[in-house]
Amino acid sequence: MAEQRRTGGDGTGTPEHFLVVFPGYHRSWAAWIAQCLERHGHRVTLQRWDPPREVPLEDSLGDLLLSSGRVLLVLDDWFFELGPRPAGEWNDVLRGFVAAHADRFTAVNLTNRPLLPATAVLEPASLWGLSEDGAEERLLGRLGLERRRTPRAATTRVRYPDTRCEIWGEVPRRNPRFTGRDDLLAELHQRLADAERGAAACTLLGMSGIGKTQLAAEYAHRFSPDYDVVWWVNSDDRNIQRDRFGELAVELGLGIGSEPGERIRAVREVLRRGEPYANWLLIFDGWDDTEGINALLPQGPGHVLITSRNRGWSEHTDVLDIPAFLRAESTGYLMRRAPHITAAQADEVAAEFGDVPLPLVQAASWLGESRMEVPEYLRMVRERRLSTVDEPAAGDGFPQSSMTSWSILLNRLRRAQPQAIDILGLCTSFAPGRIPLGLIRAYPHADLPEELRWMVTDLPAWTRALDTLVNYSVLTRETRGPVGAEMGPHQESVHMHRLVHDIVAKLTSDDSRAVHRRAVHTLLAEADPGNPVDTRNWPRYAELLPHLEPSGALASDQPRVREAVLNCLRYCFRSGEYSGGLKLAQQIREHWSRTLDPLAQPMLDLAGQESYILRASGRFRDAYELDRGVLERLRAAPRRNELAELTTQSAMANGLRHLGRYDDAHTLQQEVLEGTTRLLGPDEATTLIARHNLGVGLRLLGRYAEGYELDLDTLARRDNVLRARHINTLNSGNAVSNGLRLLGRYRDAVARQEPVVRLHVQVLGPQHPQTLEARAQLAMCRRREGGFTQDIGPSMASLLEQLVRLHGREHYRTLAFLTDYGNYLREHGELSRARDLVGEAEAGYRALLGPAHPVATGMLANTGLVMQVSGERAEAMSMFEASVAGLTATLGPDHPWVLGCALNAASARNFNGRITEAVELSRDTLRRSRHALGDDHPLTLSCMIALAADLRAAREQEEAGKLEEDGLLGLTRTLGAQHPQTLSARQRTRPYWDFEPYLG
C-alpha cells in the first residue's frame, strides 16, 4: 500500500523522486523522512513493506525498482526479520542483486545494534541518537542533496520520531516483537481521521487474548507524532479507571483537588474545548462495563480508542472487530521467537492454537527459551500432560490446548525457577490488570509468610524471577509516576492480562493460593493510609479497592485487614462512590457474617457505614430499617453497649428526619446528644456530630433561631477541635449560612457562605458532593438576597448540570436544585421551562418519599405558583389549599412551611373572588408568623403586605393603609429599599412564597 506525497522543485538543485520503503513498525520515521525530503523540493512515495515469505526475496526487491528514482530503505534489525527469512538469504541477495543495483538503493539505519554484514553494500546513514537537525543533515548528506536555504516552515506537521509528545501517560512499553496487523492499524487510523469532530471514538472489540491491548499500544506508539497528548487509562476496574483518567488533570496543569469526579469533569471540559491541546488520544483499555459512560467518555477534537469484549459499545462508538492473526502473521511471529523451527512446524503450532495471539505468544516464548523441538512440544500439549494439577476448563473461546501449554510452562518454571512461580502466584491474588507489586518492597516489615520473605531480602533474585516472567510474556512491566522519572523497586507495577490471570489461577494449587492471599491482603493492610477522610489519600484507596476481593481481604479475620477494608468503604462514602460502596458493603457483610457476631464491633462499624451510604443514595427506608434492626439486637444483648446504642440511635434519627417524622427524630436526637456528652464529653467528634444533627432537626421543625444558635456553637467547637479545613467543620459552615438565610438575613448569609464555598473548593475540590451542596446553598443565598452582584441564572444552570452528572436526575439533592432553579426561571418569565423542572421535581419527590411526606406535600406550592402565573387560578388554588391542609396535618399550623403555603392560598382565594375567606386566612397567617418567626422576618412582612391587599379588596382602606405602610418600612429596614421584594410591595404586586425542599 503506497501513499503519494508530491512536491515540485524550487530551483535548488534537480528535484528527485524517492520511494521510502519501511516496515509498518517505523511509520513515524518514514513520515518524517518524507516530510524532510519534500521540504527540500523532492517527491516522495511511502511504501509499507512486508514481503511474503513464499515470494523469492530478489523478486520482492525487484518490484521496488519498478518505481522511478531511488529506493530508500528504512533499516533496523527488525527490517531483516520481515517474513521471516534465514539470515543467509538476506546476505546473498544483498551481495548479489542489491550490489548490482547499488545506484538505485540507499538506506538509513535506526538502531545501534549490529545489522547483517552484507548491509555494508547499502552504506546506510545512521540516524540513531541524533537531534532532528543532525538527522536531517545526515540524511541529506547520504543522499547527496543540497540543503534548502529557506528556514523550516512553521507549519511542520510531522513530529521528529525521537521527540515524545507533550504529555505521554503510562502507555505500555512498545513491544519490539509486535507482528503484522498493519492493515488493521491503517484502517483504525483512517476511521479516526475521517470521523466527525466530537465523535472520533473507536472500540477494538474481540475476545480475551486476541491482542486488543497490544494493538492499542502499537497504535499509540506508531501514530504518536500525530498527537500532542497520549493518555492510557486502565479500565478493568471502575475506581482505578476514574482515578487514572483524573490524573490527566495534573499533567494538564489544572489546579484542582484530588476528588476523581471533579478531576474527570475538569479534564473532559479541557479536552472538549481542545485547549491547550486539540490533538489528543485517550485510550481506555479493558472497558467492558458501559454503565455511566456519558460521565467519562470525552468528546472534542481528539480521538478516543477503547478496547473491550462488550459488543454494547456499538451503540456508542464505531467498532472495529479484531480477528485472530492471519496465518502468515502467526507463523512469522513463531519463527522470529523460535528461529530453530521450520515454516511447516510453525504452521502446525499456529493451527493448534487457532491463530489466537495470546497463546501463540506463550508458545513462541516457550519454544524460543527451551529450544524444544515442535513435535515434542505438540505431543505434550495434545496429551495434556499436566503433572501437578487437574486439567481446568477453558473458556471465552480460548483453545483447550492453550491451557495445556500454560501448564507445561508452569511446570518447567516450578523446576527451574521456583521463585518466578512465587511471584506469579502472588499476582493471581491481586485483581487482573495493573498489579502494584512494589507494595512488597515498599513494606518490608509486613508479616509475610516465611516462604515469601526472600522477596523482601533478596533483590537480585526478585529481579531475575520477574525478568523470567517478562521474557516468557506472562507479565509486562509498567511504570507509575511522572513521565521520565526513575522508578524504584517499591514503585514497580506489572500488568497481567485477565485471561492469563484466570488460567494461572486455575493452575495454582489451593495451598499455594492460600499462602499468597494471606501475603497480599497483609500488604494491602500495610498500604492503607489510615485516613479515608483526607482527600490526598483517595488515589491510594482507589488503587487498593479492586484487590480486596481477589486477595481474600474481605474474608480475613485479622483486625488490621478488617480495618483497611472498612477504610476502603469509608473512602467510597466520602468520595461519593455510592454505587461501588453499596456493592462493597454487601460483599463485606456476606463474608463477615459467617464468622462474626452481629454485634461485634466490625459488624457495627459496617452497618454504620452502609447506613450512611444508603441515605446518601436516597434509600432512606432501607437505611432506617437497617439501623432499627441493629438497635433491636443491641438492646436485646445480655451486655449493654451504650455507645453503640447511641451511635445507632443517631443514625435512626437521621432516618426519621428523611422519612418526615421530625418530632420523633428530634426527641431521639436529644437523647443521643445527652448520652454522648455524658459518656465522651462535649467536644468529642461523636458528640459534635450529634450536636450538628440536632441543629438539622431544629431547622426541619421550623425552629430556625434555636437551630442557628446551636450551629454557631457547633462550628466554633469544630473549628477548635478539628480545625477549619476538616470536612465536618466545613459542613457546619454550610449549616450556619443556611440558618442565616432561613432567618431572612440574606446579606449575612451570602457574606458567610462565599468563603465557605472557597474553602470547600480548596479542600475537597469543586465537584465533591459536599462542595456542590455548598455551591447550591450559595446560589440560594444570592437568589434570596436579590441577585444584586451578578446574574445567577447561568451559574445555576451550570450547577444543575454538574449535579445531574454526579447524582443523576432522580437523586434527592438534584431534585432540590431542580426545584430551586425552576422557581428562579418562573420568577424570570421562563414559564415553560419552569413548569417542566418543577413538575419533574414534584414527581421525583413523590416517587422517592411517597405523597404524604412533608416535602412531597410542600412541592404542591411550587406547582401552584407556576399554574397561577400561567392564569390557571382555580387549579393553583386547589394546589395551595392541598399543601396547607397536608402540611398542617403533619407539621402543625405554626410551621414556616405551613405559613408560606397559607400565604399563597390566601392569594389564590383573593384572585378567585373569595375575598372574605382571603382576609380571614391572611389575618390568621400573619398572627402565627409573628409568633413563630418574629415581626421582622421577610415572611411575616410579606404576610402584612398580603393582608393589606386583601383588606383593600374588602374596602377596609384604613387598616389596609396602616398595614401596608408598616410592611414597607419593615421590608426596607430588613432587606433594603432596592430589594426585589421591597420594590414589588411598593408596586402592590401580591407577595408569594416558594417552597425549598430540604431533607437534612
Side-chain angles (χ1 to χ4, degrees):
M1 186 179 78
E3 300 176 35
Q4 296 292 328
R5 295 174 175 267
R6 300 185 179 277
T7 302
D10 62 353
T12 305
T14 303
E16 289 191 51
H17 175 259
F18 292 92
L19 179 69
V20 177
V21 178
F22 64 98
Y25 195 80
H26 286 311
R27 172 197 175 273
S28 58
W29 274 102
W32 178 82
I33 290 169
Q35 176 182 262
C36 182
L37 294 174
E38 288 175 343
R39 197 166 53 239
H40 291 277
H42 304 284
R43 294 184 301 113
V44 177
T45 300
L46 292 179
Q47 177 71 54
R48 192 185 75 225
W49 199 55
D50 187 5
R53 188 175 63 250
E54 58 273 14
V55 176
L57 186 55
E58 185 172 313
D59 291 350
S60 294
L61 288 168
D63 289 342
L64 297 178
L65 295 182
L66 297 176
S67 168
S68 62
R70 283 188 280 176
V71 177
L72 174 59
L73 304 179
V74 180
L75 303 181
D76 67 350
D77 46 341
W78 174 257
F79 189 92
F80 297 106
E81 292 188 13
L82 293 174
R85 299 169 185 275
E89 182 180 356
W90 266 108
N91 278 325
D92 290 345
V93 171
L94 287 168
R95 294 186 182 108
F97 181 82
V98 173
H101 298 85
D103 59 324
R104 297 287 309 282
F105 286 102
T106 186
V108 294
N109 179 19
L110 304 180
T111 181
N112 65 337
R113 292 186 291 271
L115 299 180
L116 295 176
T119 310
V121 69
L122 293 167
E123 299 180 12
S126 176
L127 305 186
W128 187 84
L130 298 179
S131 66
E132 183 171 10
D133 287 338
E136 182 174 347
E137 183 173 353
R138 186 164 294 180
L139 171 67
L140 296 177
R142 172 62 184 86
L143 299 177
L145 303 176
E146 294 182 18
R147 173 175 282 277
R148 186 175 181 176
R149 299 190 180 188
T150 56
R152 179 182 289 126
T155 56
T156 300
R157 293 183 295 112
V158 179
R159 184 183 288 105
Y160 184 56
D162 275 356
T163 304
R164 183 61 60 83
C165 55
E166 296 291 329
I167 296 176
W168 180 263
E170 291 194 24
V171 179
R173 296 178 184 179
R174 195 171 194 184
N175 180 3
R177 300 186 178 105
F178 185 86
T179 294
R181 305 292 206 180
D182 286 333
D183 290 337
L184 274 175
L185 287 163
E187 181 179 353
L188 175 59
H189 184 254
Q190 196 62 48
R191 287 194 188 193
L192 290 173
D194 292 345
E196 296 180 4
R197 177 190 170 100
C202 187
T203 300
L204 304 181
L205 190 66
M207 72 176 191
S208 291
I210 205 67
K212 303 182 295 295
T213 297
Q214 286 291 322
L215 194 64
E218 177 61 21
Y219 180 90
H221 286 281
R222 187 171 295 193
F223 295 96
S224 62
D226 296 355
Y227 300 101
D228 299 314
V229 176
V230 178
W231 196 254
W232 187 278
V233 180
N234 289 309
S235 302
D236 289 322
D237 178 85
R238 182 175 183 270
N239 288 288
I240 289 180
Q241 178 191 45
R242 287 167 54 79
D243 180 56
R244 176 64 191 145
F245 187 24
E247 286 178 5
L248 182 53
V250 178
E251 298 295 329
L252 291 170
L254 307 180
I256 54 178
S258 302
E259 197 271 315
E262 157 211 352
R263 287 182 166 188
I264 287 168
R265 284 178 279 275
V267 168
R268 291 182 77 233
E269 178 60 22
V270 167
L271 297 179
R272 184 189 64 79
R273 295 199 311 266
E275 298 173 357
Y277 303 109
N279 298 320
W280 48 261
L281 172 65
L282 268 291
I283 302 173
F284 295 89
D285 183 39
W287 194 354
D288 290 333
D289 184 1
T290 59
E291 183 180 353
I293 62 170
N294 292 333
L296 202 61
L297 193 66
Q299 295 182 331
H303 297 164
V304 178
L305 188 55
I306 298 159
T307 73
S308 181
R309 298 176 298 172
N310 185 351
R311 190 159 290 279
W313 278 106
S314 59
E315 299 177 7
H316 308 284
T317 68
D318 189 13
V319 165
L320 182 60
D321 284 290
I322 307 304
F325 270 154
L326 300 174
R327 181 54 55 85
E329 293 172 335
S330 298
T331 56
Y333 182 82
L334 287 163
M335 293 172 70
R336 277 189 286 273
R337 290 296 305 273
H340 67 287
I341 71 175
T342 67
Q345 290 172 333
D347 188 81
E348 192 174 3
V349 173
E352 184 70 30
F353 294 109
D355 294 300
V356 177
L358 185 60
L360 282 174
V361 166
Q362 191 275 320
S365 301
W366 168 265
L367 290 166
E369 293 287 334
S370 68
R371 306 292 294 176
M372 180 180 285
E373 293 301 324
V374 168
E376 174 64 16
Y377 175 73
L378 288 178
R379 183 166 56 254
M380 292 176 68
V381 169
R382 289 164 181 165
E383 292 176 0
R384 301 176 183 175
R385 286 162 55 179
L386 311 180
S387 60
T388 61
V389 295
D390 292 333
E391 181 182 339
D396 197 22
F398 209 57
Q400 177 65 51
S401 54
S402 67
M403 300 292 293
T404 309
S405 175
W406 280 100
S407 180
I408 293 170
L409 172 62
L410 295 186
N411 289 337
R412 175 185 173 89
L413 290 176
R414 195 171 283 113
R415 292 189 299 269
Q417 180 65 279
Q419 290 168 322
I421 291 293
D422 283 342
I423 293 179
L424 196 55
L426 204 68
C427 287
T428 63
S429 294
F430 289 92
R434 175 189 290 280
I435 296 175
L437 272 185
L439 292 180
I440 297 164
R441 306 198 64 80
Y443 300 100
H445 303 296
D447 186 20
L448 294 177
E450 181 68 33
E451 57 266 47
L452 299 182
R453 288 181 186 166
W454 68 267
M455 296 182 181
V456 174
T457 59
D458 193 345
L459 180 57
W462 167 270
T463 303
R464 284 194 303 272
L466 200 54
D467 286 345
T468 297
L469 294 172
V470 171
N471 290 339
Y472 276 106
S473 302
V474 180
L475 302 175
T476 55
R477 280 193 174 92
E478 291 192 346
T479 57
R480 185 71 167 172
V483 174
E486 288 294 325
M487 298 291 106
H490 64 287
Q491 296 169 299
E492 193 164 29
S493 64
V494 296
H495 187 277
M496 191 176 199
H497 191 281
R498 181 189 298 106
L499 193 56
V500 175
H501 183 279
D502 292 346
I503 291 172
V504 175
K506 290 174 182 176
L507 296 172
T508 303
S509 70
D510 292 340
D511 290 342
S512 296
R513 188 179 302 112
V515 169
H516 295 143
R517 284 187 167 185
R518 281 197 300 274
V520 171
H521 62 237
T522 298
L523 289 166
L524 296 178
E526 289 291 329
D528 172 18
N531 185 7
V533 176
D534 191 336
T535 57
R536 293 170 297 184
N537 293 330
W538 288 356
R540 168 52 63 89
Y541 282 112
E543 183 177 48
L544 299 180
L545 198 58
H547 303 295
L548 296 179
E549 174 68 21
S551 71
L554 301 185
S556 173
D557 59 1
Q558 298 176 36
R560 180 71 183 88
V561 177
R562 283 178 174 159
E563 185 61 22
V565 168
L566 281 173
N567 279 338
C568 286
L569 185 60
R570 293 180 179 111
Y571 152 75
C572 290
F573 170 62
R574 290 295 187 176
S575 65
E577 293 288 344
Y578 303 141
S579 177
L582 288 176
K583 181 180 178 181
L584 177 60
Q586 291 164 4
Q587 291 176 318
I588 298 170
R589 184 174 299 282
E590 181 181 344
H591 286 282
W592 287 7
S593 60
R594 297 171 187 166
T595 57
L596 287 175
D597 185 280
L599 298 183
Q601 192 58 49
M603 291 295 287
L604 294 175
D605 292 339
L606 170 62
Q609 292 303 313
E610 187 174 4
S611 176
Y612 281 138
I613 300 175
L614 284 168
R615 282 195 299 277
S617 303
R619 293 172 56 180
F620 308 129
R621 175 63 64 181
D622 291 340
Y624 176 74
E625 294 299 335
L626 173 64
D627 296 326
R628 187 172 68 171
V630 172
L631 185 60
E632 288 174 354
R633 285 192 292 272
L634 283 167
R635 286 176 171 169
R639 293 184 59 186
R640 190 178 181 193
N641 185 339
E642 189 175 359
L643 184 58
E645 286 186 32
L646 289 170
T647 302
T648 307
Q649 284 179 300
S650 182
M652 284 187 66
N654 273 331
L656 289 169
R657 282 192 293 273
H658 285 115
L659 294 173
R661 296 168 56 184
Y662 304 144
D663 286 317
D664 293 341
H666 178 67
T667 301
L668 187 57
Q669 192 67 61
Q670 280 185 313
E671 294 177 12
V672 171
L673 179 56
E674 291 167 5
T676 54
T677 302
R678 174 172 46 82
L679 285 178
L680 304 174
D683 292 331
E684 284 296 314
T686 302
T687 306
L688 293 176
I689 290 173
R691 290 176 65 84
H692 175 85
N693 289 340
L694 186 61
V696 172
L698 288 169
R699 286 197 295 276
L700 285 167
L701 287 169
R703 295 160 61 176
Y704 298 151
E706 293 176 67
Y708 171 68
E709 293 300 328
L710 184 61
D711 287 333
L712 266 182
D713 183 66
T714 305
L715 174 61
R717 291 173 184 270
R718 280 180 162 173
D719 196 32
N720 182 51
V721 175
L722 304 175
R723 302 304 182 216
R725 297 173 69 87
H726 192 280
I727 190 171
N728 290 351
T729 308
L730 296 175
N731 203 23
S732 283
N734 270 335
V736 169
S737 300
N738 193 8
L740 285 168
R741 182 172 55 79
L742 293 174
L743 288 168
R745 296 168 56 181
Y746 302 142
R747 280 173 290 189
D748 292 342
V750 170
R752 167 75 75 165
Q753 188 65 5
E754 284 177 339
V756 169
V757 168
R758 286 196 293 270
L759 204 52
H760 268 82
V761 171
Q762 291 172 14
V763 176
L764 302 176
Q767 303 298 323
H768 187 276
Q770 187 171 306
T771 305
L772 291 179
E773 186 67 11
R775 292 168 62 194
Q777 182 70 244
L778 179 58
M780 285 303 302
C781 292
R782 285 173 172 163
R783 179 176 164 235
R784 294 302 186 205
E785 185 200 21
F788 292 116
T789 56
Q790 58 179 294
D791 177 11
I792 63 173
S795 64
M796 290 186 79
S798 173
L799 184 53
L800 175 59
E801 182 182 338
Q802 293 168 54
L803 283 163
V804 170
R805 284 202 300 262
L806 179 65
H807 297 302
R809 296 190 76 89
E810 297 175 354
H811 191 273
Y812 67 96
R813 295 200 183 279
T814 308
L815 294 175
F817 203 74
L818 277 170
T819 304
D820 295 334
Y821 187 43
N823 285 330
Y824 170 86
L825 293 173
R826 186 203 70 246
E827 290 175 333
H828 289 75
E830 297 189 46
L831 295 184
S832 177
R833 290 180 65 200
R835 182 186 293 272
D836 290 343
L837 293 182
V838 170
E840 179 184 355
E842 183 197 339
Y845 276 121
R846 197 163 53 245
L848 180 67
L849 305 172
H853 192 285
V855 168
T857 305
M859 284 297 299
L860 299 175
N862 296 319
T863 302
L865 288 172
V866 174
M867 289 178 169
Q868 186 161 273
V869 175
S870 302
E872 304 168 47
R873 292 185 171 181
E875 294 84 350
M877 185 170 69
S878 175
M879 289 288 178
F880 294 143
E881 298 286 2
S883 66
V884 173
L887 289 176
T888 301
T890 55
L891 304 178
D894 293 335
H895 194 287
W897 292 358
V898 176
L899 299 175
C901 289
L903 175 74
N904 294 336
S907 170
R909 291 178 182 183
N910 186 314
F911 289 152
N912 283 277
R914 296 164 59 176
I915 305 301
T916 302
E917 295 174 34
V919 171
E920 180 183 352
L921 182 57
S922 288
R923 199 181 293 280
D924 183 65
T925 304
L926 174 57
R927 177 178 61 80
R928 294 181 183 281
S929 186
R930 280 173 169 160
H931 172 73
L933 298 172
D935 291 338
D936 290 329
H937 192 281
L939 180 55
T940 303
L941 297 171
S942 291
C943 289
M944 295 174 68
I945 299 298
L947 178 56
D950 291 334
L951 289 170
R952 274 198 308 275
R955 303 185 185 283
E956 297 182 31
Q957 302 293 345
E958 184 176 350
E959 184 182 0
K962 177 70 169 63
L963 272 173
E964 183 177 57
E965 182 181 354
D966 290 345
L968 284 171
L969 286 173
L971 287 170
T972 302
R973 182 175 60 252
T974 303
L975 302 180
Q978 299 303 311
H979 191 280
Q981 197 169 334
T982 307
L983 296 175
S984 293
R986 279 211 177 90
Q987 296 164 2
R988 292 187 171 174
T989 301
R990 183 84 189 205
Y992 60 87
W993 176 86
D994 55 54
F995 176 72
E996 295 179 17
Y998 178 60
L999 289 172

